[in-house]
Amino acid sequence: MELITTRLSDLRVDAPGAILRGLAPDGGLFVPDKIPAFSRSEIESMAALPYPELASEILYRFLPGFTREELLEYARKAYASFDDSAVTPLHTLEDGLWTMELFHGPTCAFKDVALQLLPYLLSAALRKCGEDRTVAILVATSGDTGKAALQGFADVPGTRIGVFYPRGGVSDIQRAQMVTQEGDNVLVLSVVGNFDDAQSGVKKIFSDMALKERLEKAGVVFSSANSINWGRLVPQIVYYYAAYFQLLRSGAVKMGDPVDFSVPTGNFGDILAGYLAKRSGLPVGRLICASNSNNVLTEFLQTGVYNRNRPFLLTMSPSMDILLSSNLERLLYFLTGSGEQVSRWMTELGETGCYNIGPETLARLKGEGFAACWSDEALTGATIRGTWEKTGYLVDPHTAVALYAARQVRKTGGSAPCVVLSTASPFKFAPAMLASLGQQEAENGFAAQERLAAFSGQRVPAPLDLRGKRERFLDCVTPAGMASAVEKWLTE
Ligand SMILES: *Cc1c(COP(=O)(O)O)cnc(C)c1O
C-alpha cells in the first residue's frame, strides 16, 4: 500500500512521508491507494491481544514504512500514560448499548489516543526521511486537540508545537489546560473568531509558499497534528477493533455479528476511522454520525448537499462546533475514487460554501452504512440528566449528543449492539454538566468541577486540577495576524 492524495497530483509516498507533510502539496489529504483488509481469521487471531499489541498489528497495515517492532514500541510507550489498562474501556449503559471511554489519557479527551502516539511516529519519520530541519507543528483547535498535541509534543527533540484556539470558543478548563502548558518548544495563541477561522488561518499558513521558503532557509518545515494528518487518523482505527473484541470476550456478540457505533462528530476524523475499520474487515453495522446544532453533516448525509452557509453556533459541545469537516474529503475520495471530482467539490466549497454530491454518490454513501442524527442543546441536556438519574453515570455533552443519536437511530430500525464513543471526561465541561443536571451555577470552571465532584461523588481527574498553575500564554491574534506571529516565533 502507498499513500496518494485526494486531489489531482500523482504523488505517492509512504507513511513517514505523509506524516511529515501533513497536508498533501496539492491541498488534498493523504489516503491509501488500496484500503488494507484483514481476513476473518486474522481478525479472530487479534481478539485476545492487549491494546498495544493490537495497535501495532493494525497500525502496521495502515502505516507502510514502519516496522511492527517499531510500532509496538511506540504503542507501549504511548499508552503507558493511560490510567486504565484496557486503554479504551467499555461501560455497559443499558440493554444493547455501551459507551467506550476514550478519555483515560493525560488530557482527559479522546485526542490523546492519537496524539500520545503521533510524536513517536513523527520523530521516526524525521529520521527515516533524513530530515534534519526542525518540524513545526501547527494546530487549530476547538479545545481538545490543542492540549493533547501540546502534551504529546512538549519538549520532543526536533519539533516545535504551535496551537491556535478561538477566543471565547473553548471552555475555561480547556483554555487553562492550554495556556499553562510547560515546555520550551511551545506557543499558544488565541484567535479572534471561531474554530473555522483558526483552521482556515492554519491552512493558509501551510499553503503560503513565500513564508514556507523563508522558514526553510531558517531550517524549519511545517507539519500538522490535526486529523488531516494520516498519522493522527490511523491510531483511531484501533479502538473500534478494541471495542469489538471487548464485546466478543464478554459474550455480548459472536464473531461476525455487526456492531453499530455512534460517533460525536466534528471534523469527521473519528467516524472516518470507524469507516476504515469497517472497510478493513471489522464487522461494523451502522456508523451513526452525531452532530450538535451545527448540523451541517446531518443534512449532508441525508440530502447529499453540503452547505456551510449558516450561522456558526456556540454549543456546550464545543469540540463539535465545526462547519467545515476536513476529513469528509477523504470519504468522498473513497466513494468516488476520483481526484478530479473531489477537487471540483472542494473548489465549489471554497467559492460558494456549498456543493452537492448528487443522488448516485449519496446512495453509495448510505450503502456504506452511514446514518445521521443531531441533538439540540435542550435534548443534549436532557440526555445528560436522564442518563444520570436512570443509571448514575455521567456523560459529557459530546457523548450525550452521540447517545441521543444512538437511541433515536435505534428506534427506527435495527437493534444491533451499539457502542457510543465517549470522547471527553465530564469534568472538562463541568459548568454545562451542572446546568444540565439542574444544579446551581458556579462562578468559574474550577468551582464547577468541585461542585460536580461533590454532586456525583466522583473525583476531579488529576490532570484537570489546574489551580495555581501559571498562565504562560495570554496573547491574542486576528486570523490575518496568524502568519506573522508564527514567523516571528520560529525565527527569532
Ligand atoms: C475532537 C472531538 C470530537 C470530534 O471528533 P472529530 O474527529 O473532529 O469528528 C468530539 N468530541 C470531543 C470531546 C472531541 O475532543
Side-chain angles (χ1 to χ4, degrees), residues 165 175-181 188 470-474:
Y165 69 91
R175 181 189 158 277
Q177 279 187 297
M178 291 188 275
V179 303
T180 59
Q181 178 65 46
V188 179
R470 186 170 71 88
E471 298 200 343
R472 296 178 65 200
F473 300 101
L474 301 173

Side-chain angles (χ1 to χ4, degrees), residues 89-102:
L90 290 189
H91 172 89
T92 307
L93 200 57
E94 58 202 44
D95 196 26
L97 201 62
W98 291 260
T99 59
M100 173 161 52
E101 296 181 347
L102 299 173

Side-chain angles (χ1 to χ4, degrees), residues 110-111 144 264-270 319-320 398 423-424:
F110 96 96
K111 304 294 196 292
D144 289 335
T265 300
N267 231 341
F268 211 77
D270 204 1
S319 298
M320 302 160 71
H398 304 77
T423 47

Side-chain angles (χ1 to χ4, degrees), residues 35 64 118 137 144 159 171 223 241 280 322 362 477 488:
I35 297 175
L118 185 61
I137 312 283
D144 289 335
T159 72
S171 78
S223 188
Y241 279 86
S280 65
I322 293 178
L362 179 61
V477 291
K488 183 159 165 270

